[in-house]
Amino acid sequence: MIHLKTKNWLVLIEAVTSHGPIGLKRHNELKDLFRMARLGLVFVTAFLTRRAMTKYLADIAWETEVWIAETPSHVIHFNGERFLGPYE
């Protein structure tokens, strides 16, 4: 978790090696867990490589982000009306 105080966001990062990608079920579980936080939630799945990501492409939830360690300056956005930010 990363709290971006200036934006009032809580960035929730799930490493695929620990749990798998943030799929629809996990997305809903995390939203429910942090419902009282009063912060904008941003969901990020982290992978070591693009190759590792390809195994899970069908499981990644919409309106989430993907970060890949081998290309750390880039983020992949999975659809939605905005890039990198919380959805209400």
Side-chain angles (χ1 to χ4, degrees):
M1 287 187 284
I2 299 172
H3 182 208
L4 296 175
K5 291 181 183 181
T6 59
K7 294 187 180 270
N8 202 34
W9 294 355
L10 185 62
V11 181
L12 303 173
I13 304 167
E14 187 78 52
V16 167
T17 57
S18 69
H19 189 274
I22 297 178
L24 182 59
K25 182 178 183 240
R26 185 71 174 147
H27 184 270
N28 290 335
E29 290 170 348
L30 290 169
K31 277 177 69 172
D32 187 50
L33 183 65
F34 291 97
R35 71 184 174 280
M36 302 301 283
R38 299 188 193 272
L39 298 167
L41 300 177
V42 178
F43 303 92
V44 179
T45 299
F47 292 95
L48 289 175
T49 65
R50 290 178 74 157
R51 185 180 183 115
M53 179 191 69
T54 62
K55 296 176 187 177
Y56 296 97
L57 279 175
D59 300 322
I60 298 168
W62 293 116
E63 300 178 352
T64 67
E65 316 300 328
V66 169
W67 178 83
I68 303 169
E70 70 183 358
T71 53
S73 62
H74 292 77
V75 175
I76 300 169
H77 176 67
F78 274 73
N79 205 0
E81 60 195 40
R82 70 178 59 86
F83 177 73
L84 194 60
Y87 287 82
E88 302 306 323

